[in-house]
Structure formats: C-alpha cells, structure tokens
Amino acid sequence: EPEVTQTPSHQVTQMGQEVILRCVPISNHLYFYWYRQILGQKVEFLVSFYNNEISEKSEIFDDQFSVERPDGSNFTLKIRSTKLEDSAMYFCASSVDRGPYNEQFFGPGTRLTVL
Amino acid sequence: DQQVKQNSPSLSVQEGRISILNCDYTNSMFDYFLWYKKYPAEGPTFLISISSIKDKNEDGRFTVFLNKSAKHLSLHIVPSQPGDSAVYFCAASEAGTYKYIFGTGTRLKVLA
C-alpha cells in the first residue's frame, strides 16, 4: 500500500540553525500538508500546498518557515533559524483532493530537537 | 482555541467489550469529521470519517456517530481487541479549508 515517507526520522540541531525536513507524498496525491505535535499536545496544522503554492497556513507558520516542492516527488519544510520551541514531531500528509472523503494520509514524522 | 475537544485523556476496556470514544466540537461550520489512530513513534493513521450530512458511518468493527445538534461525535469499537490500544484523535474540517483541527487525543488501552 502506498505511504507517505519522511526523512530524517530524528533531527537534532542547535538553536539558530536552519533545518530542512523532507517528505515524499503518495504519488498520485495533489495536496500536501505539514502538521506538528509538540510533546504532550495536540497535532496542529501548519500549512497546505497545492499546485506549487501555499493554499492555507496557520499563524504558527511565520516567516521562519517555508515549503517547497523542488521536484516531482519531494515536499520540504524549511525552518530558517530554529528556536527551542520548534522542538516537536513534524508530520507530512497528502491527499488526492480536499474536502469530504479525501482523507489526508500522514507520514511517520520527523522528531526535531532544538538544543 | 479548543474547537475540538476530547475530554477523556484515557480509557481502559476489557477485550471483547465495546470501546466508546467521545469528541465535542464548537465550530458549527465543520462539515467533515474523522478519527485517526496513532501508535507511538508513528504518524496518525486514518480510521473512519463522516460527513455532516450523515449521522452514522460503519466500517467493520468501527462505527462513528454524529449528533450535529449536540456538536458531538463518538467512535464505537466492537469488539475491542488488544491491538486497538493506541491514542485516538478526533479531527474536523470546515468546507473551503484545507486543514484538519485535531482534538487532544484519548489513549485507549484494551486489556486482554
């Protein structure tokens, strides 16, 4: 069964450094998403991406964050200057379409630890 | 901003019995609701969904009920199995948006 994959599984970085989290969505999906889950808290929406542009973003997704689909398969989340509070699990998701009965399928996540 | 609430952080159920997980929401514009299951060190796995035009959707051992007037949905698992032990997240979305709003999750433990 097709699945969303994410690399790396765990990323440790120093505060102020840039990180890039990578995702390979399911191949026939057209909508891509990033969510995060801070330890012990709920899963929070960051951004959605369709047709090579951001379609929606949350207030968490500030100027420090950017997303890109650099080629036909990868979808990346970049954090320019990491802060301690960016430590979280970051989940990539994808869907065929949006709306009812077009569920988002999630990857296994990347655990980001900012020291 | 707790638009989706799961008030029970944990639930223990005996194997073979029914598990009922509850979720309340405040946003009347939500039109699609989902349940996801999450094991440790894995991403959320889609379980079942329901559109706001329905009040029940069933898939094998899993049934989701939606009560729009009460802004409440529930997930029934019958019969519960030890492999169902996981954290269950309720999620909702609003027409015209792309994002899912998640609840805080309920940790289900099915005892053998």
Side-chain angles (χ1 to χ4, degrees), chain A residues 31 33 35 37 40-45 48-50 55-59 89 91 98-109 111, chain B residues 1-4 31-32 34 36 38 41-46 49-51 53-54 57 89 93 96-105:
Chain A
Y31 292 79
Y33 314 85
Y35 289 80
Q37 185 182 29
Q41 298 186 24
K42 60 181 179 178
V43 176
E44 299 174 290
F45 170 80
S48 60
F49 191 85
Y50 169 70
S55 43
E56 189 174 1
K57 62 182 180 178
S58 71
E59 54 271 12
M89 280 291 286
F91 295 107
R98 66 167 182 169
Y101 307 112
N102 288 287
E103 294 78 30
Q104 296 175 21
F105 290 84
F106 285 75
R111 178 172 299 283
Chain B
D1 179 17
Q2 294 244 39
Q3 296 187 69
V4 179
D31 69 341
Y32 189 52
L34 310 95
Y36 280 83
K38 187 179 180 304
E42 294 184 13
T45 302
F46 169 72
S49 63
I50 188 166
S51 166
I53 62 173
K54 295 188 172 184
N57 188 27
F89 291 97
S93 72
T97 72
Y98 296 82
K99 63 186 178 188
Y100 288 171
I101 307 293
F102 281 84
T104 49

Side-chain angles (χ1 to χ4, degrees), chain A residues 58-111:
Chain A
S58 71
E59 54 271 12
I60 302 169
F61 194 89
D62 61 22
D63 292 343
Q64 293 299 313
F65 292 89
S66 62
V67 288
E68 194 178 30
R69 190 155 161 81
D71 53 45
S73 59
N74 289 285
F75 178 51
T76 62
L77 174 70
K78 182 194 288 187
I79 310 175
R80 282 187 190 78
S81 178
T82 50
K83 302 190 274 282
L84 294 176
E85 53 265 36
D86 293 327
S87 295
M89 280 291 286
Y90 287 80
F91 295 107
C92 173
S94 67
S95 63
V96 174
D97 201 340
R98 66 167 182 169
Y101 307 112
N102 288 287
E103 294 78 30
Q104 296 175 21
F105 290 84
F106 285 75
T110 292
R111 178 172 299 283

Side-chain angles (χ1 to χ4, degrees), chain B residues 40-96:
Chain B
E42 294 184 13
T45 302
F46 169 72
L47 204 53
I48 194 169
S49 63
I50 188 166
S51 166
S52 61
I53 62 173
K54 295 188 172 184
D55 54 22
K56 177 183 172 181
N57 188 27
E58 196 170 346
D59 183 2
R61 297 186 296 114
F62 302 93
T63 303
V64 56
F65 295 92
L66 176 62
N67 181 335
K68 287 190 291 294
S69 60
K71 294 193 177 71
H72 177 84
L73 66 155
S74 61
L75 174 69
H76 292 209
I77 306 174
V78 183
S80 302
Q81 299 172 353
D84 296 329
S85 297
V87 178
Y88 288 77
F89 291 97
C90 166
S93 72
E94 190 178 323

